[in-house]
Amino acid sequence: MIATTALELRAGARLLVSGVNVRINHGDRIGFVGRNGAGKSTLAKVLAGENLPAGGGVQRTGKIGYLPQDPRTGEDQGTALDRILSARDLDQIAARMAQVEQEMATTEGAELEKALERYTRVDAEFNAAGGYAATAEAEAIATSLGVSESVFHNQLDTLSGGQRRRIELARILFSGAETLLLDEPTNHLDADSIIWLRNYLINYSGGLVIISHDVNLIETVVNKVFYIDGNRNVIDVYNMGWKQYLLQREQDEHRRKKERANAEKKAEILQKQGEKMRAKASKATAAQGMLRRADKLRAGLEDVRVKDKVAKLRFPTPAPCGKTPLSGEELSKNYGSLEIFTDVSCVIDKGSRVVILGLNGAGKTTLLKILANQLESDTGKVEHGHGLKLGYYAQEHEMLDFERTILENMLSSKDDLREPEARNVLGSFLFVGDDVHKPVKVLSGGERTRLALATLVVSAANVLLLDEPTNNLDPASREEILGALGEYQGAVIMVSSGFPGVSQTLTLLVHSRYIDDHNTFGAYSAATLLMGIAIIVLLLMTLLDRKRSTT
């Protein structure tokens, strides 16, 4: 259980919310909703005990599992499976077992007897903590989230951002926590993993908080909605599901506007009448009373919600370039003995649209980094055509300096960019006034995404390399970005865990070791469908053969 008392949250000097008194009990499945930067992630961090509030207090009972938005959060040492098991301290017990097993294999006599005794004790402790059944449970959760068994024993620092995030999510679900706080849990998940997670959360009996721009997840899972109003700096609590919330919110807005209009009308009448009567000494007292009533009516008015603003994204005309600004030939990448992909060749023509699809760990981000000159290929070469100007968006915002301010990052993105122009562009991305002096490290994931995209706008790039650019964005902002990319005249290469909705003329499908090249997403879909039909036919033929052999 988590409860807050008069909670106040701030981002630097800016007030996010104040006077928050809420409870999260067993059986509550709460969706935090609100525009980017309203304070959803900040609230989750404070509830989890990761950050301190600006005012008020938080009371917590029971174990809390918190999934932050940043996939780099967490330990970088050890294997993927050890990281999941560490949620119940099973990794430490397993390490002690391995050490004792080594002693048993290398000792004799009395030392061997002592090692056998220690192994018996450690094995009992391992079984008491869930033992081999718990390990199987951890593996099952990870597999359901799309983590391949081949990844279980890989070191964490060799995994992609998407794999790391899946491991962290699996760890939280495995932890046995009584309250879960999940910030954008569907980022980097494919469709099958999202369906599994949705079913898991529906059946979860503890307290649950979800921050997600996946409307389907929110609609299916939550039974309460906390709307964080970034304009009024309050949290509106709706003890109902998503669809009922949308209807009730609309009704509340209509009622609030009607009540406000009536109160303002009454206040205006009292104000005018009081001012007329104030001129006469005999009616001065009554006039003062009317004026006080008018002021009281205005002071008691409930604020009307202001429509949330959406960043206005428009890419300028790209710099001129040749017919083929970017290409790669016989590219490959290995991390130690782990082969990511091999013998990859691709040609990016002027103005083409490319989406790179594939499972987590298949090499999507690695391929994009190689094309962006952020990583060297083990073999082959990347060729830059005439006039190439690259614009690179990193999924974990590595291109931003987290210690510098918004404005400083913007100014450093282009050599001849002046402050007035930088401020104008930042203003279109909803960074106005003193906000531009905030350090990047205090921004939400959605705000960092907007800033990273703002730096691309001033780059005049003719080839954009985008790694999951719609993660952490609300639906309105996501539509704005996809619309801007649709109008952009340069080439776009986008990595996505699922098909993002951008029209394109070429689809590169990344598998674990090779790349298939299809002319359109429709061709890719058709190829995938034909492959599925072929598998079904083979299965039917096998069943018929077995039936014939038994008769």
Side-chain angles (χ1 to χ4, degrees):
M1 186 274 290
I2 302 176
T4 69
T5 306
L7 192 69
E8 180 180 308
L9 303 179
R10 290 182 177 271
R14 182 168 65 93
L15 176 67
L16 297 176
V17 292
S18 63
V20 177
N21 299 290
V22 296
R23 293 175 64 91
I24 302 167
N25 296 312
H26 284 281
D28 287 342
R29 298 195 299 274
I30 301 169
F32 284 1
V33 299
R35 63 172 171 80
N36 288 124
K40 301 184 297 295
S41 294
T42 301
L43 177 57
K45 287 179 181 179
V46 170
L47 294 179
E50 296 288 320
N51 286 354
L52 293 174
V58 182
Q59 297 80 45
R60 308 174 188 87
T61 59
K63 187 175 182 179
I64 295 174
Y66 170 55
L67 177 73
Q69 198 176 94
D70 190 344
R72 291 172 294 183
T73 302
E75 297 293 331
D76 284 331
Q77 303 301 316
T79 67
L81 184 58
D82 285 343
R83 177 62 183 163
I84 300 173
L85 294 175
S86 69
R88 298 185 192 174
D89 295 327
L90 281 165
D91 61 323
Q92 298 178 14
I93 304 174
R96 294 206 307 273
M97 286 182 66
Q99 182 179 355
V100 176
E101 287 171 353
Q102 181 66 24
E103 292 176 7
M104 291 164 57
T106 57
T107 58
E108 296 179 353
E111 292 298 323
L112 177 58
E113 291 295 327
K114 291 179 180 179
L116 287 169
E117 290 177 5
R118 284 199 300 274
Y119 185 83
T120 301
R121 291 195 299 270
V122 175
D123 186 60
E125 183 182 356
F126 185 70
N127 287 320
Y132 299 102
T135 302
E137 179 189 352
E139 292 176 348
I141 291 173
T143 302
S144 298
L145 291 173
V147 180
S148 170
E149 291 184 12
S150 62
V151 173
F152 289 165
H153 300 291
N154 290 349
Q155 293 296 310
L156 289 171
D157 57 7
T158 67
L159 304 183
S160 69
Q163 289 173 317
R164 281 298 313 275
R165 186 160 180 83
R166 288 173 186 241
I167 293 298
E168 291 301 311
L169 178 56
R171 182 177 185 273
I172 299 303
L173 300 184
F174 174 72
S175 68
E178 297 172 50
T179 305
L180 297 180
L181 304 172
L182 308 179
D183 195 346
E184 298 290 357
T186 59
N187 278 359
H188 305 289
L189 296 186
D190 55 31
D192 290 339
S193 298
I194 291 174
I195 292 171
W196 179 88
L197 178 63
R198 192 184 302 158
N199 292 331
Y200 180 95
L201 296 178
I202 288 172
N203 295 306
Y204 180 70
S205 60
L208 172 65
V209 169
I210 301 176
I211 301 171
S212 178
H213 294 113
D214 184 338
V215 176
N216 290 330
L217 179 72
I218 294 291
E219 180 179 340
T220 305
V221 173
V222 307
N223 55 23
K224 291 185 179 182
V225 176
F226 287 5
Y227 177 78
I228 304 175
D229 194 323
N231 299 307
R232 295 160 55 228
N233 306 120
V234 298
I235 295 180
D236 293 330
V237 176
Y238 292 85
N239 295 312
M240 58 192 70
W242 177 253
K243 288 185 177 179
Q244 295 88 346
Y245 150 74
L246 292 176
L247 180 62
Q248 187 63 49
R249 180 179 165 186
E250 186 78 19
Q251 293 172 351
D252 287 349
E253 285 304 299
H254 181 73
R255 171 189 56 77
R256 188 179 286 113
K257 289 179 181 179
K258 188 175 181 180
E259 289 176 352
R260 185 180 183 91
N262 290 336
E264 286 177 339
K265 187 176 181 179
K266 288 179 182 179
E268 185 179 358
I269 293 172
L270 288 169
Q271 182 80 25
K272 288 180 179 179
Q273 188 66 24
E275 289 175 353
K276 286 181 181 179
M277 294 171 62
R278 189 167 51 182
K280 297 180 181 180
S282 60
K283 297 183 178 180
T285 302
Q288 289 297 326
M290 287 184 179
L291 293 174
R292 282 195 297 269
R293 285 170 59 195
D295 291 339
K296 188 176 180 180
L297 276 171
R298 293 191 181 99
L301 290 176
E302 191 175 356
D303 291 335
V304 176
R305 282 189 185 137
V306 180
K307 186 177 180 181
D308 291 334
K309 296 180 180 179
V310 177
K312 298 299 181 183
L313 176 59
R314 291 293 179 271
F315 289 101
T317 302
C321 65
K323 181 182 178 182
T324 304
L326 183 64
S327 63
E329 184 178 353
E330 297 180 352
L331 306 176
S332 65
K333 192 63 184 178
N334 300 287
Y335 290 108
S337 60
L338 179 63
E339 184 180 80
I340 306 300
F341 55 74
T342 185
D343 196 22
V344 171
S345 297
C346 58
V347 175
I348 308 302
D349 290 330
K350 178 181 180 180
S352 60
R353 298 286 190 270
V354 179
V355 59
I356 303 178
L357 304 175
L359 299 174
N360 278 95
K364 304 186 299 295
T365 294
T366 299
L367 176 59
L368 205 68
K369 284 184 175 180
I370 290 173
L371 293 176
N373 286 331
Q374 299 297 312
L375 188 67
E376 287 189 10
S377 177
D378 293 339
T379 63
K381 60 181 178 179
V382 174
E383 292 189 355
H384 291 181
H386 174 70
L388 172 68
K389 279 196 84 171
L390 282 175
Y392 174 54
Y393 173 90
Q395 74 171 245
E396 296 178 25
H397 308 119
E398 300 100 319
M399 306 305 289
L400 299 177
D401 187 335
F402 281 38
E403 298 301 320
R404 303 179 76 185
T405 66
I406 294 172
L407 182 60
E408 287 170 343
N409 271 274
M410 192 68 180
L411 291 172
S412 64
S413 66
K414 187 180 179 183
D415 292 337
D416 57 348
L417 184 64
R418 295 182 178 180
E419 185 170 328
E421 182 186 354
R423 281 182 172 272
N424 285 337
V425 175
L426 288 172
S428 68
F429 282 85
L430 309 183
F431 298 114
V432 296
D434 291 338
D435 283 350
V436 300
H437 298 302
K438 290 194 296 188
V440 172
K441 63 184 178 184
V442 306
L443 301 182
S444 69
E447 289 174 315
R448 291 174 187 170
T449 295
R450 295 206 312 264
L451 175 58
L453 291 170
T455 63
L456 293 183
V457 166
V458 299
S459 68
N462 44 39
V463 176
L464 294 180
L465 304 174
L466 309 176
D467 196 351
E468 303 281 7
T470 60
N471 278 354
N472 307 319
L473 292 179
D474 55 67
S477 298
R478 185 180 295 117
E479 288 300 318
E480 181 72 17
I481 288 172
L482 296 180
L485 289 175
E487 297 176 4
Y488 175 61
Q489 298 175 21
V492 177
I493 309 172
M494 179 187 290
V495 165
S496 178
S497 297
F499 183 57
V502 182
S503 60
Q504 69 289 318
T505 57
L506 176 68
T507 297
L508 296 177
L509 174 65
V510 180
H511 293 279
S512 59
R513 296 182 60 190
Y514 56 93
I515 289 186
D516 282 347
D517 191 339
H518 301 286
N519 289 330
T520 65
F521 183 72
Y524 157 63
S525 301
T528 305
L529 177 62
L530 289 172
M531 185 180 297
I533 292 172
I535 292 172
I536 293 172
V537 170
L538 287 172
L539 288 172
L540 289 174
M541 291 176 65
T542 302
L543 290 173
L544 287 172
D545 288 341
R546 288 181 179 177
K547 187 174 181 180
R548 290 193 188 106
S549 63
T550 57
T551 55

